[in-house]
């Protein structure tokens, strides 16, 4: 018992809370992103995602461990891709582009909802540790939603931006690129790890959040400040 008590006393519980907040926010962003892909593909005539059980809010069905880790650590990442068979689409390239766009669109809408709710809490709820932790979660949702949306719009295979850009290519070039896109994933992970996208994505994320804050009335500086649990502790 003494060992357990000593372990509990030295455990960084607030660090664990911060990790859980970031992980849950990341899981929600990932789930809504992939669900949107599958739902739009289904509405366009492709039942592949539905038949695979991917039209669900269960995050385990969409989880890619490396992509989740990237989201928690560097605020950008990915999920396990929803299966899409473009042969079901009436216009395959256009259908694929619309399906690809649905994921980032869902992330931006999620971020907007998070910032709007954060603004309500900020302006009308009593300020205490509970509301500040809620604001921390909503701030992480907004940051991760914008980050995931922007990252997936990068026009590099197999990210969504490539599907949108490739829709304008000739059919022969388009299908050749799709054939080999899975081999690009390793290179993409390396680029993320070495920080190639850090500066441009950080700039764009702040600008997007600035716009969302302007729409909702949430102070940008506080939205960014409250994303870290340790800053909340400094307020008390």
């Amino acid at each position: 018992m003494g060992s357990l008590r000593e372990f509990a006393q030295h455990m960084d519980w607030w660090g664990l809370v911060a990790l859980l907040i970031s992980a849950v926010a990341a899981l929600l962003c990932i789930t809504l992103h992939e669900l949107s892909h599958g739902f739009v593909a289904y509405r366009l005539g492709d039942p592949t995602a539905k038949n695979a059980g991917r039209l669900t809010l269960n995050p385990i069905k969409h989880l890619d461990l490396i992509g989740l880790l990237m989201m928690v650590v560097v605020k950008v990442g990915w999920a396990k891709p929803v299966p899409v068979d473009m042969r079901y689409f009436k216009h395959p390239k256009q259908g694929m582009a619309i399906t690809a766009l649905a994921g980032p669109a869902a992330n931006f809408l999620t971020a907007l909802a998070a910032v709007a709710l954060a603004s309500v809490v900020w302006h009308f709820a009593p300020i205490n540790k509970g509301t500040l932790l809620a604001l921390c979660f909503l701030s992480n949702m907004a940051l991760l939603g914008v980050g995931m949306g922007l990252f997936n719009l990068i026009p590099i295979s197999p990210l969504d931006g490539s599907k949108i850009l490739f829709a304008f290519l000739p059919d022969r070039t388009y299908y050749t690129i799709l054939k080999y896109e899975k081999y690009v994933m390793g290179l993409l992970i390396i680029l993320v790890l070495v920080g190639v996208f850090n500066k441009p994505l950080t700039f764009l994320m702040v600008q997007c959040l600035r716009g969302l804050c302007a729409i909702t009335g949430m102070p940008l500086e506080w939205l960014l400040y409250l994303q870290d649990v340790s800053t909340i502790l400094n307020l008390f």
Side-chain angles (χ1 to χ4, degrees):
M1 289 295 294
S3 298
L4 288 175
R5 189 177 297 110
E6 184 178 351
F7 173 79
Q9 290 175 347
H10 291 86
M11 179 69 180
D12 182 9
W13 293 106
W14 285 108
L16 181 60
V17 170
L19 179 62
L20 288 175
I21 286 175
S22 185
V24 172
L27 282 173
L28 283 172
C29 290
I30 284 171
T31 299
L32 293 172
H33 179 99
E34 292 302 324
L35 176 60
S36 298
H37 281 318
F39 178 75
V40 169
Y42 179 69
R43 295 290 295 176
L44 290 174
D46 177 18
T48 308
K50 184 177 187 299
N51 294 339
R54 296 294 300 277
L55 295 189
T56 175
L57 286 170
N58 180 0
I60 304 301
K61 293 285 188 177
H62 307 292
L63 183 61
D64 179 284
L65 290 177
I66 296 177
L68 176 64
L69 181 62
M70 291 295 100
M71 285 196 71
V72 172
V73 175
V74 298
K75 306 304 182 186
V76 294
W78 54 87
K80 182 168 64 176
V82 161
V84 176
D85 189 341
M86 60 194 300
R87 292 174 295 182
Y88 285 102
F89 298 146
K90 185 176 181 180
H91 303 289
K93 288 196 300 183
Q94 292 85 341
M96 198 68 184
I98 295 170
T99 299
L101 184 60
N107 289 136
F108 292 127
L109 289 174
T110 299
L112 175 60
V115 177
L117 186 53
S119 182
V120 172
V121 173
W122 175 258
H123 286 100
F124 299 106
I127 299 300
N128 52 46
K129 280 189 178 181
T131 54
L132 289 175
L133 284 173
L135 286 168
C136 179
F137 173 74
L138 292 169
S139 175
N140 273 272
M141 278 290 293
L143 187 68
L144 291 170
V146 167
M148 189 173 186
L150 289 171
F151 177 71
N152 278 278
L153 285 176
I154 296 174
I156 299 177
S157 290
L159 298 178
D160 299 324
S162 66
K163 306 295 192 306
I164 299 168
L165 177 64
F166 295 168
F168 298 98
L169 297 177
D171 287 354
R172 183 174 181 179
T173 305
Y174 180 86
Y175 291 111
T176 300
I177 293 174
L178 290 184
K179 184 178 179 181
Y180 295 102
E181 70 173 3
K182 62 182 179 181
Y183 301 108
V184 185
M185 192 63 191
L187 174 61
L188 183 63
I189 293 174
I190 293 173
L191 292 177
V192 171
L193 290 175
V194 300
V196 169
F197 305 114
N198 286 0
K199 286 187 177 180
L201 277 179
T202 298
F203 172 79
L204 290 173
M205 287 166 66
V206 171
Q207 298 311 310
C208 284
L209 290 172
R210 190 185 305 279
L212 296 180
C213 286
I215 293 171
T216 61
M218 178 66 191
L220 175 64
E221 61 274 16
W222 278 103
L223 185 75
L224 296 175
Y225 183 67
L226 291 172
Q227 67 180 284
D228 188 352
V229 169
S230 63
T231 64
I232 294 173
L233 297 178
N234 292 333
L235 298 175
F236 292 89

